[in-house]
Amino acid sequence: MVRGLVSGGRLGHWVRQPEVNTALTVYILVVGVVYQTVLRGLVPVAGWGRMADDILHGLVPLRALGF
């Protein structure tokens, strides 16, 4: 159902606009930079939480930069 929602219709059209893609990429990069420079280490995280933290705030911004 979600796939159909994104691929067709208003949401799909909105997501495919270059301005929206640029804005989302910039937002993800800003969150990654702020987290890595200011917020990392303020709350101790261990185990699976640490892995999820690294993926969300490390790999996702790098992937967005590659996009």
Side-chain angles (χ1 to χ4, degrees):
M1 176 133 181
V2 173
R3 185 177 193 174
L5 181 67
V6 173
S7 63
R10 292 183 349 183
L11 182 60
H13 177 70
W14 181 76
V15 169
R16 284 193 290 279
Q17 293 178 2
E19 298 86 5
V20 173
N21 279 320
T22 302
L24 292 174
T25 302
V26 169
Y27 300 155
I28 291 171
L29 290 174
V30 168
V31 166
V33 168
V34 169
Y35 180 81
Q36 295 295 337
T37 58
V38 177
L39 301 174
R40 186 172 196 86
L42 290 179
V43 176
V45 182
W48 288 103
R50 176 65 180 203
M51 187 168 69
D53 183 54
D54 289 340
I55 290 171
L56 286 176
H57 297 105
L59 294 179
V60 170
L62 289 175
R63 175 70 172 105
L65 183 62
F67 175 70

